[in-house]
Amino acid sequence: MRLHPSTATISQYEDGELDPRKRSRVASHLADCHACRTRLQEWRAAAVAIREAPIPEVSPDLFDRIRRRRAEGERMILPAAQPTPALRKHRLMPGIAAALALLVIGSAVFFAAPDLRADASELRLFPGSPTAGEEIRAEYRASSLLSAHDRLVLRARYRTARDEAYNQGMRHVTVAELVKDRDGVYRGSFELPEAVVFATFAVENAEASRVDSNARRGWGLLVHGADGRPLWEALDQKANDLMGRNWEAAYETARAATELYPERPASWSQLHFFESAVLGEAGMDGLREAHRARLRELHDILAGATQVSGDDAGAMFFYAWGVGDTITQAYWRDRLEREHPSNRFAVQNRIIFELVREHRDEPARLLAEMERMWAEIGPVHIHQGDQGFGAARRAGDTEAILRWAERYLHFRPTERTWVASTLAEMPALRDEGLRRLRAEIRRSAAMRPEDRDLFATAEDQHRKAQRELRELYGDLGKALIAAGRTQAGLDTLTLAVTEGWNTRLFREVAEARLAAGDRGGAVELWARVAVDPATSEAFSDSVRNRAGDAYHPDRWQALTARARDVMHNEVLADASSRSVRGRVRLLDSDGRTHSLEELRGRQATVVVFWSRACGPAIEALPEIERVAKRLATQGVAVVAITNEQPTDELRAFLAERSVSVPLYHDTRREAARALVQWGTPQYFVLDGAGRIRFEYSSLDAIERQVAALATAE
Amino acid sequence: MPHPVTERPPDVDPRQVVDAADADHLRALYDCYAKDLYRIAYRLTGSRTDAEDVVQDVFLGLPAALSGYQERGKLDAWIRKVTVRVALGRLRRRSRRKEVPLESAPEPSSGRSVHDSVETIDLQRALDALPETLRSVLVLKELEGYSHEEIGELLGIRAGAAKVRLHRAREMLRQRLRRTP
């Protein structure tokens, strides 16, 4: 008989109130018990609905009613006396001041960014469970973000069965025009392309200046089979689409796949992958045994079958690899290789585990093997492209480099710019590289609409294209100088640095100018590098030495003052303004609760989402420490957040790395929801009033952003 | 070890207070907060009329109450809690008079939303069907994220009782949502 945890225990599990041992026991039960898991999922769905499901609109005249009643002398005594928060002396209510400035003053550049929240909108698609190629009707109820328009545009990111994870380089299409009906609802229809198994939608105005991304979730549509279930491929692609932007939802999707398709090994291998990503290694402790048992079960069924598909064999291999069962892993690698040698997983294994290892120091041999594989089976796996291109470059075989560049681009068409720059750096292929860089510049200037991300406005896309264009000018300029066309190269490099803020580019262009004898021009760019908060103090001294008589203290001062203005303007151009939705409560390492508000800094707050299970997050720790120390003197708080429970193990992990930045525990995932976080390490910069001004920032940009916010205030 | 809910009595220098009685300022506050406060009130009372009355009461009393308020950044949490108190007060009065809200959520319900969430109309109906003692606990937890201690303080019950009510409410809401087609 199986003993289920009580609802009280599951409730405490959900609220992060169980001790680690009990928590892991419950987690392991949940992994195995459909009933309890469903209960928890339904609780969560209800909780999300309580927070997010639309409610009737407020009457538009409510404020007028309030004003009338006040004018008539009506007053209320609010039950507010007891909970008045603590006093902080000599501050003039900046919370309210900010709220007022936002709406009353309105003229300051700082507050000019509109707060584009779309919390009351809704997109419904009929049928909600379409089969492939079906005609879809869309009904959209707009929030204030888009409700002023008569016509709106429905855009989609379409996914077919073999599309890759993450959304880089995915294509986006306009699928329908939505026209406002008399009842205020926007309607339109479109035909789902036959090959599409999953789609994510967003709604925007005709100019694409406003995009309703459903708080960056988008709206998803799963293609269903004749039996009424969503296709396995549809669930797989939904998880791919969510990867990197919402790990938890991807995890839920993988869960659904195991429930609908428990016989497919790929369901379980995917679940294991997302479970590790969401729960981290520590959270997997209680689940590993259950996975091993599942693997054995699947193995017993499939190993006895005469016919096993390549994808199933590949999934068995990955599942065994994930749970650390080396014997089962070897069995399935062998069967995959023997029975389906041209399956994509077999090809991947052969490249990674055999060819690359065996011929690490013999690029020509590796190249020959890759050529042979290509001739035999054609394009099957991305590793053919990247490893082949790499081997050709290391072998220095010009013709092979060009051939493999095309093969690589077959898998990754969005990497054209990188390929062009790489070729331009090779003397023998410089002209080809230059030709491709110029073609990329033309392409970038043309800004094709299908390249615009689903959730990006035209303005976002324009800024992104400009950033790419500047990088391209940088690469082209350097290649021109290397080709001996110094003046054309310097002119091109000037285009790369007239706008934007990229200290790496500034340094590179300064060096090029210096090499060409333009010391004044170099000093101008060095002034920009010098004012960047990420630059060391010693840099200014080195400029004095290297610039020689091109350095005058007065001119340097004027240059740095201007550089500072440029930096602030460039940084603020990328600022947004959105409030933290709902209350955010975090546990400190002693288990005490704090609200995010009380942890905030006077000037600004940097929120860092961090995870012990994430390599890049661990690598970033020393730099996070350094940034936090520098910012502490400026009234800026750094709040590091993990979704892990406070445990002795975690404390020891942090102590070992001498981490002094306090780490808080988002056990209820309130911070993740409120800031719309989807990965680690992830950085957000909040201003003094607690509004989110920079989302998904990067460590090297944070200090600039804080400095720019200080000038705007 | 639960931590105590510490909230100090008002201790404010009136000179530092922005004049919220000024109509423009009140409007700004309204634009900033009304929507959120209305949601809290609506989820607690289950009635549009009651929720709007709660918001009205809050803004009628806000200028005076703000003269007793002084803290950067916590205004949001404070104003939300005040709203919760006003809404709970209204609920208590309503239940003494045995009133039932007249309307239920007037949301369209044809077709299924592609977004994986509980249907709006079912949710409010199911919430309304919960006993008031359970519904308040659930809404305060899921919408406002209050701790058991805070919920206990707001409802005048012990933290332990709030905890018990929470899991009962979760389970009962789930059962009700399952039953609706």
Side-chain angles (χ1 to χ4, degrees):
Chain A
M1 194 184 80
R2 169 195 257 162
L3 276 180
H4 298 278
S6 65
T7 47
T9 304
I10 300 181
S11 189
Q12 284 174 285
Y13 171 86
E14 173 68 349
D15 295 331
E17 291 162 353
L18 296 177
D19 64 58
R21 262 190 56 222
K22 205 155 182 203
R23 185 176 169 78
S24 130
R25 271 212 305 278
V26 175
S28 127
H29 176 87
L30 286 170
D32 244 12
C33 173
H34 179 262
C36 288
R37 204 164 59 229
T38 308
R39 166 174 292 149
L40 182 58
Q41 279 163 349
E42 288 175 356
W43 286 0
R44 284 180 183 166
V48 168
I50 289 173
R51 278 191 298 272
E52 294 175 3
I55 55 175
E57 291 282 308
V58 193
S59 307
D61 67 338
L62 183 60
F63 185 74
D64 290 335
R65 267 151 49 201
I66 294 169
R67 197 159 45 195
R68 245 189 340 266
R69 286 175 62 187
R70 275 193 66 82
E72 287 161 6
E74 223 177 302
R75 297 290 184 269
M76 271 297 289
I77 296 172
L78 295 181
Q82 185 199 349
T84 301
L87 171 73
R88 189 180 289 167
K89 279 180 186 153
H90 311 303
R91 293 212 60 88
L92 196 105
M93 300 194 67
I96 296 197
L100 296 180
L102 174 62
L103 293 136
V104 180
I105 305 168
S107 58
V109 177
F110 182 51
F111 288 110
D115 189 9
L116 301 183
R117 282 184 288 162
D119 39 16
S121 63
E122 187 182 25
L123 177 69
R124 286 163 180 251
L125 301 174
F126 307 89
S129 312
T131 52
E134 210 170 328
E135 159 116 9
I136 309 285
R137 280 187 303 112
E139 279 191 12
Y140 176 70
R141 283 172 182 77
S143 68
S144 55
L145 178 72
L146 291 171
S147 58
H149 302 271
D150 290 331
R151 282 156 194 274
L152 296 171
V153 174
L154 181 65
R155 281 181 97 222
R157 176 165 58 236
Y158 280 151
R159 285 183 160 272
T160 57
R162 282 288 162 103
D163 276 323
E164 282 184 56
Y166 299 93
N167 293 314
Q168 229 176 356
M170 289 293 296
R171 306 231 134 190
H172 299 94
V173 284
T174 295
V175 296
E177 184 182 49
L178 303 177
V179 181
K180 197 179 199 167
D181 277 345
R182 272 199 203 152
D183 57 1
V185 176
Y186 295 81
R187 292 188 174 84
S189 66
F190 59 96
E191 203 169 291
L192 210 54
E194 198 70 35
V196 168
V197 294
F198 178 74
T200 306
F201 296 89
V203 181
E204 61 187 35
N205 61 354
E207 300 79 35
S209 59
R210 297 186 155 206
V211 177
D212 181 359
S213 63
N214 191 22
R216 287 176 192 268
R217 291 188 298 261
W219 286 275
L221 186 67
L222 292 159
V223 170
H224 286 57
D227 59 1
R229 290 188 296 180
L231 297 174
W232 189 87
E233 289 77 11
L235 294 166
D236 184 40
Q237 288 300 326
K238 182 178 178 183
N240 276 351
D241 198 87
L242 289 164
M243 213 186 285
R245 67 184 177 93
N246 189 340
W247 288 99
E248 283 194 322
Y251 174 37
E252 289 302 318
T253 306
R255 256 212 138 81
T258 58
E259 275 156 28
L260 290 166
Y261 296 94
E263 75 287 358
R264 291 186 76 140
S267 298
W268 294 99
S269 143
Q270 282 263 44
L271 179 68
H272 181 268
F273 171 80
F274 285 113
E275 234 157 35
S276 317
V278 171
L279 303 176
E281 277 308 300
M284 290 302 290
D285 282 349
L287 301 174
R288 212 161 275 131
E289 260 324 299
H291 274 297
R292 291 218 171 108
R294 180 81 54 201
L295 177 72
R296 281 193 296 273
E297 229 175 276
L298 287 165
H299 178 82
D300 290 345
I301 298 167
L302 288 168
T306 42
Q307 284 267 320
V308 176
S309 78
D311 280 2
D312 279 351
M316 283 302 287
F317 166 78
F318 282 111
Y319 193 26
W321 179 66
V323 303
D325 182 339
T326 47
I327 296 171
T328 312
Q329 178 191 335
Y331 172 89
W332 285 105
R333 188 180 147 191
D334 183 54
R335 267 194 82 167
L336 184 62
E337 189 58 51
R338 268 189 293 115
E339 293 168 25
H340 305 277
S342 53
N343 173 277
R344 57 191 166 141
F345 298 126
V347 169
Q348 180 182 11
N349 283 346
R350 216 147 61 230
I351 294 173
I352 296 298
F353 296 117
E354 291 170 22
L355 298 182
V356 172
R357 274 185 198 171
E358 279 166 28
H359 308 299
R360 198 184 299 275
D361 303 318
E362 316 162 283
R365 281 285 301 282
L366 178 57
L367 186 60
E369 293 291 337
M370 299 299 291
E371 289 283 8
R372 204 158 56 85
M373 185 188 265
W374 189 274
E376 279 167 16
I377 58 172
V380 176
H381 195 275
I382 169 68
H383 280 337
Q384 290 174 280
D386 53 38
Q387 295 301 327
F389 188 39
R393 278 178 297 148
R394 286 198 301 282
D397 178 340
T398 315
E399 271 177 36
I401 292 172
L402 288 174
R403 192 165 57 243
W404 282 95
E406 289 315 308
R407 291 175 181 172
Y408 173 65
L409 289 173
H410 166 84
F411 293 103
R412 287 281 152 81
T414 50
E415 293 290 347
R416 287 182 310 257
T417 300
W418 177 74
V419 168
S421 312
T422 305
L423 297 183
E425 281 167 11
M426 294 186 247
L429 287 164
R430 186 165 290 130
D431 285 345
E432 175 63 17
L434 283 172
R435 188 186 66 73
R436 288 180 188 230
L437 280 173
R438 290 195 188 97
E440 283 311 301
I441 286 170
R442 280 195 299 278
R443 200 195 295 270
S444 173
M447 279 219 294
R448 296 173 312 164
E450 65 266 33
D451 289 341
R452 177 161 57 88
D453 183 80
L454 195 58
F455 302 156
T457 63
E459 173 67 23
D460 295 337
Q461 162 78 354
H462 176 72
R463 277 206 299 273
K464 183 166 169 249
Q466 290 299 311
R467 268 197 300 275
E468 282 168 9
L469 196 56
R470 288 191 289 269
E471 291 282 353
L472 279 166
Y473 283 140
D475 288 340
L476 181 64
K478 280 182 286 177
L480 284 169
I481 291 173
R485 300 176 51 194
T486 310
Q487 195 50 49
L490 287 172
D491 290 346
T492 309
L493 287 179
T494 298
L495 287 177
V497 294
T498 41
E499 276 175 17
W501 193 267
N502 180 336
T503 51
R504 181 186 50 75
L505 257 181
F506 295 158
R507 281 175 196 262
E508 285 176 6
V509 177
E511 291 302 327
R513 284 180 177 176
L514 189 70
D518 177 11
R519 276 195 291 187
V523 171
E524 215 172 289
L525 289 175
W526 281 335
R528 295 197 189 176
V529 178
V531 299
D532 192 289
T535 305
S536 76
E537 302 270 337
F539 181 82
S540 295
D541 298 333
S542 76
V543 169
R544 210 167 310 155
N545 293 333
R546 298 191 64 197
D549 52 11
Y551 179 91
H552 303 285
D554 290 349
R555 180 157 180 265
W556 179 250
Q557 204 164 9
L559 280 175
T560 49
R562 231 189 79 213
R564 228 171 252 121
D565 283 346
V566 171
M567 177 176 80
H568 295 153
N569 286 335
E570 291 288 352
V571 170
L572 286 177
D574 285 330
S576 58
S577 181
R578 141 171 109 79
S579 56
V580 175
R581 302 280 294 158
R583 194 145 190 214
V584 177
R585 301 166 68 82
L586 301 162
L587 293 182
D588 65 20
S589 59
D590 297 324
R592 283 187 300 259
T593 307
H594 302 267
S595 70
L596 178 58
E597 287 154 356
E598 77 195 57
L599 300 175
R600 267 170 30 202
R602 191 166 33 80
Q603 279 300 327
T605 309
V606 177
V607 175
V608 181
F609 285 94
W610 184 87
S611 161
R612 183 154 60 112
C614 169
I618 295 170
E619 278 166 30
L621 268 180
E623 188 57 24
I624 293 172
E625 281 283 317
R626 276 193 288 277
V627 169
K629 281 213 179 83
R630 285 199 294 263
L631 288 177
T633 58
Q634 304 166 34
V636 179
V638 175
V639 179
I641 295 176
T642 174
N643 60 6
E644 217 182 303
Q645 297 280 338
T647 57
D648 289 338
E649 201 191 342
L650 176 58
R651 273 186 283 272
F653 180 92
L654 296 170
E656 207 176 290
R657 285 158 183 80
S658 318
V659 176
S660 66
V661 175
L663 183 64
Y664 295 90
H665 305 266
D666 187 22
T667 49
R668 299 184 184 90
R669 308 286 291 149
E670 285 177 348
R673 275 194 295 267
L675 281 90
V676 195
Q677 172 247 353
W678 42 252
T680 56
Q682 213 160 54
Y683 309 92
F684 293 79
V685 179
L686 279 54
D687 62 20
R691 292 182 69 78
I692 304 167
R693 302 309 308 276
F694 296 98
E695 319 174 271
Y696 319 113
S697 181
S698 60
L699 255 182
D700 63 316
I702 282 171
E703 289 176 86
R704 276 200 296 279
Q705 290 165 342
V706 168
L709 284 179
T711 62
E713 263 173 351
Chain B
M1 184 56 193
H3 75 114
V5 183
T6 51
E7 288 165 329
R8 286 206 262 153
D11 176 17
V12 167
D13 178 354
R15 284 167 301 171
Q16 296 177 343
V17 173
V18 171
D19 182 14
D22 178 316
D24 278 351
H25 291 177
L26 194 64
R27 172 88 224 186
L29 286 169
Y30 178 89
D31 288 342
C32 228
Y33 293 111
K35 223 170 166 182
D36 284 353
L37 303 186
Y38 171 73
R39 174 177 287 269
I40 301 168
Y42 181 77
R43 286 285 185 239
L44 281 171
T45 61
S47 143
R48 183 178 175 174
T49 322
D50 279 345
E52 291 196 346
D53 284 351
V54 168
V55 174
Q56 281 200 54
D57 285 353
V58 168
F59 280 90
L60 282 174
L62 200 56
L66 277 174
S67 65
Y69 168 84
Q70 174 72 21
E71 170 72 335
R72 174 194 186 90
K74 284 191 181 173
L75 179 67
D76 179 62
W78 175 82
I79 202 170
R80 283 165 160 271
K81 202 170 237 181
V82 167
T83 305
V84 167
R85 286 173 197 276
V86 173
L88 291 175
R90 179 164 289 266
L91 273 180
R92 275 193 286 272
R93 284 201 300 281
R94 197 169 79 186
S95 67
R96 272 205 296 273
R97 291 201 302 268
K98 302 252 184 290
E99 285 173 28
V100 174
L102 287 174
E103 79 254 64
S104 60
E107 282 297 307
S109 67
S110 60
R112 282 195 63 82
S113 166
V114 280
H115 185 56
D116 311 332
S117 72
V118 181
E119 289 287 312
T120 319
I121 185 162
D122 298 341
L123 172 79
Q124 192 62 44
R125 206 181 282 152
L127 261 182
D128 291 345
L130 293 188
E132 209 161 278
T133 50
L134 297 189
R135 184 179 59 204
S136 304
V137 174
L138 186 62
V139 169
L140 293 177
K141 181 74 186 179
E142 303 295 11
L143 192 61
E144 293 300 286
Y146 290 145
S147 65
H148 301 308
E149 286 75 20
E150 281 171 299
I151 294 172
E153 186 253 334
L154 283 164
L155 297 174
I157 56 175
R158 290 211 323 276
K163 197 189 241 182
V164 172
R165 285 187 194 178
L166 176 65
H167 75 75
R168 284 225 221 113
R170 278 176 170 159
E171 189 52 19
M172 201 180 278
L173 178 64
R174 181 179 86 96
Q175 306 270 2
R176 292 196 184 280
L177 284 170
R178 287 205 134 191
R179 248 177 273 150
T180 46

